Amino acid sequence: MTKQVTFPHDFIWGAATAAYQIEGAWDQDGKGESIWDRFSHTPGKVLNGENGDVACDHYHRWQDDLDLMAALNLRAYRFSIAWPRILPAGRGQVNPAGLDFYDRLVDGLLARGIRPFATLYHWDLPQALEDAGGWPARSTAEAFVEYADVVSRRLGDRVQDWITHNEPFCTAFLGHMIGVHAPGHNDAAKTARTVHHLLLSHGWAVPVLRANSPGARVGLALNPNEVVPASASQVDLRAAAREDGIRNRLFLDPLYHRGYPADVVERLDVEYGVRFDFVQPGDMDAIAVPTDFMGVNYYNRTIARDEEAPNNLPPAITVEGNEHTEMGWEVYPPGFYNLLCRLHFDYRPASMIITENGASYSDGPDAAGRSADQRRLNYIRDHLAEVRRAMDAGVPLNGYFTWSLMDNFEWAFGYSQRFGMVWVDYATQQRLLKDSALWYRDLIANDGFALP
Ligand code: FCB
């Protein structure tokens, strides 16, 4: 028995990438150093000492990559702009070659009928701004607005879909609390200040983008998660509420005009002595500026368990039997439906777009050159079925981007994790369509797919 899953004909089908993960050319044509250049060049930070110096060499191969996108019937492409290509020192002097690169890329997309979705910040802060205090400093939020202005003045006539930030949770917590991402800090106060300045810079940039790009749609890409308590014990319920606070409400509440969640603010104070004294009059209104869409990046759910509490019940939820990707992430498609419904019913965004979804599996080409990545195909298919189910429940979803178009540099994991629908042979830079890419191409042509 198969079931046909169909989507509206104008649904936005795309694939996503990010500058540092694919471009390479890290020091070419006037580009400044970014925090990811610095971080990956620091021994011990990235698995196997790898870095994005060359990555997929997309900076030089972008035309071929655009042809690949066209061959996949993509209607949209989500890419990010490298801030240090545009403003090598973070602010001030503009590097014309940097702007030219994205100008050509955008024209190349439009010539192929592919709609550009531009992300302004996908984690590669100019190192000069980090040296001046980074995101914990309010001046970085001001610099971001300058950058957004420069970029949208140049591209705003042709780019009509803007994403200010990608996953502020990761920038704040992975970069400033746990330190596994650039710039590698372990500091709760810096983390809280980073959260605020990321959100503030988003709020300040939205009107600038609207002014320079009339009629454009503007949003940001969050990575909220469905958080499930491992059991019904009081301590697990509390662990889930805490996780939901940090992961979801700390970002969603201020963006949707509810201010920072009191329980999270209190906990940061009690446990880390962090005071939200960096919030200035007018900031919360600026952050809550209306947007056109909420971008959602989703991979897996979170199961919250208080490991330290004595006599905690054994977890009622176990995941051992479930499939996991090579990142170790549980495959649990219904969590996607639950999350999308929660976001819609709790926050009522004007619309929603899935800005990332995908899976890491290293299934590579066989002797005949075929990459039978059935597990990725299943992952995408089953998650799309949940997207459709959420739409049927009334969630206003109008687009979906796979992560990722092609295999690329997976941050602290280097090249060990492959998320692409397109295989990249890093030695030769050859690209090869995996089965999932061919399936996606047909899905787009048919406005849907068959679910076994
Ligand atoms: C997301 C990032 C993206 C990629 C995927 C796997 O958190 O936005 O760049 O690394 O995870």
Side-chain angles (χ1 to χ4, degrees):
M1 267 283 285
T2 60
K3 180 180 163 235
Q4 198 60 30
V5 180
T6 54
F7 287 83
H9 187 57
D10 60 355
F11 199 75
I12 304 161
W13 294 108
T17 64
Y20 187 71
Q21 295 179 274
I22 64 163
E23 284 180 1
W26 76 282
D27 61 351
Q28 280 178 38
D29 296 344
K31 177 179 166 292
E33 188 190 13
S34 81
I35 56 172
W36 267 96
D37 294 317
R38 178 70 62 91
F39 191 74
S40 66
H41 292 158
T42 307
K45 299 297 187 191
V46 175
L47 191 68
N48 301 321
E50 290 168 339
N51 58 53
D53 289 6
V54 177
C56 307
D57 197 30
H58 171 76
Y59 188 76
H60 299 111
R61 293 166 195 268
W62 60 274
Q63 302 198 53
D64 291 344
D65 289 338
L66 293 187
D67 289 342
L68 262 181
M69 295 176 213
L72 291 180
N73 294 331
L74 296 192
R75 299 198 183 133
Y77 173 52
R78 176 180 174 226
F79 60 98
S80 83
I81 294 170
W83 186 344
R85 269 196 210 290
I86 310 297
L87 293 144
R91 55 199 312 177
Q93 192 67 42
V94 174
N95 174 35
L99 278 174
D100 291 347
F101 172 70
Y102 297 105
D103 199 271
R104 289 191 295 264
L105 184 75
V106 165
D107 283 346
L109 285 165
L110 294 173
R112 290 166 180 81
I114 302 171
R115 181 165 152 187
F117 275 68
T119 305
L120 288 171
Y121 189 72
H122 203 127
W123 307 353
D124 43 359
L125 186 73
Q127 181 64 38
L129 292 181
E130 174 62 22
D131 296 341
W135 285 112
R138 195 174 169 95
S139 55
T140 298
E142 291 158 7
F144 179 79
V145 182
E146 232 180 273
Y147 160 59
D149 184 44
V150 170
V151 171
S152 56
R153 270 176 202 277
R154 178 69 177 269
L155 303 179
D157 56 336
R158 286 153 294 148
V159 173
Q160 288 285 288
D161 296 277
W162 295 94
I163 293 166
T164 53
H165 283 285
N166 180 69
E167 302 188 354
F169 167 84
C170 291
T171 301
F173 284 86
L174 304 189
H176 295 78
M177 186 89 174
I178 315 177
V180 294
H181 278 186
H185 298 307
N186 302 93
D187 185 314
K190 283 184 178 164
T191 304
R193 297 177 70 91
T194 295
V195 170
H196 186 62
H197 296 140
L198 287 169
L199 294 177
L200 189 59
S201 71
H202 157 80
W204 282 343
V206 169
V208 173
L209 294 168
R210 291 202 194 288
N212 292 342
S213 192
R217 290 156 296 266
V218 186
L220 84 175
L222 299 169
N223 58 326
N225 228 331
E226 199 211 4
V227 182
V228 194
S231 77
S233 74
Q234 286 305 313
V235 283
D236 284 347
L237 291 175
R238 205 170 56 213
R242 285 172 163 223
E243 181 66 22
D244 182 55
I246 292 285
R247 182 75 193 230
N248 300 324
R249 289 181 286 112
L250 181 57
F251 299 89
L252 289 160
D253 282 11
L255 287 167
Y256 289 88
H257 230 304
R258 298 179 190 176
Y260 287 114
D263 59 323
V264 179
V265 171
E266 190 194 308
R267 184 176 150 212
L268 286 168
D269 183 4
V270 171
E271 292 181 15
Y272 299 99
V274 173
R275 292 289 163 83
F276 274 53
D277 52 7
F278 41 78
V279 179
Q280 296 186 15
D283 285 3
M284 301 316 290
D285 284 339
I287 290 172
V289 63
T291 51
D292 300 285
F293 61 90
M294 179 198 286
V296 178
N297 295 356
Y298 177 83
Y299 293 90
N300 56 350
R301 65 174 172 175
T302 301
I303 295 173
R305 171 156 172 82
D306 189 334
E307 298 289 354
E308 271 141 47
N311 306 320
N312 193 8
L313 292 173
I317 292 185
T318 49
V319 299
E320 281 77 39
N322 292 356
E323 189 180 334
H324 288 70
T325 70
E326 288 176 22
M327 282 292 270
W329 295 348
E330 184 199 12
V331 178
Y332 187 71
F336 202 11
Y337 170 84
N338 297 341
L339 174 71
L340 294 171
C341 289
R342 186 260 177 117
L343 293 172
H344 170 59
F345 291 112
D346 267 10
Y347 294 98
R348 299 277 168 184
S351 71
M352 290 161 81
I353 295 178
I354 307 308
T355 33
E356 285 182 27
N357 179 235
S360 166
Y361 292 112
S362 55
D363 309 297
D366 60 18
R370 174 177 174 204
S371 278
D373 63 335
Q374 186 65 37
R375 293 178 295 173
R376 174 175 297 99
L377 189 163
N378 292 349
Y379 179 99
I380 296 173
R381 183 195 63 204
D382 295 349
H383 282 79
L384 275 173
E386 299 296 328
V387 168
R388 179 67 252 188
R389 210 152 69 83
M391 291 166 75
D392 292 340
V395 182
L397 277 154
N398 45 30
Y400 176 94
F401 290 78
T402 55
W403 183 271
S404 178
L405 172 69
M406 56 184 159
D407 296 333
N408 58 49
F409 177 80
E410 179 49 34
W411 310 112
F413 296 93
Y415 296 96
S416 66
Q417 300 293 328
R418 291 179 176 269
F419 277 89
M421 295 188 296
V422 175
W423 175 269
V424 176
D425 178 333
Y426 294 110
T428 62
Q429 291 295 348
Q430 259 195 348
R431 277 81 160 130
L432 197 138
L433 304 186
K434 303 180 192 178
D435 281 2
S436 59
L438 303 173
W439 178 87
Y440 198 61
R441 176 195 65 189
D442 294 346
L443 174 172
I444 298 172
N446 300 325
D447 294 326
F449 58 90
L451 192 64

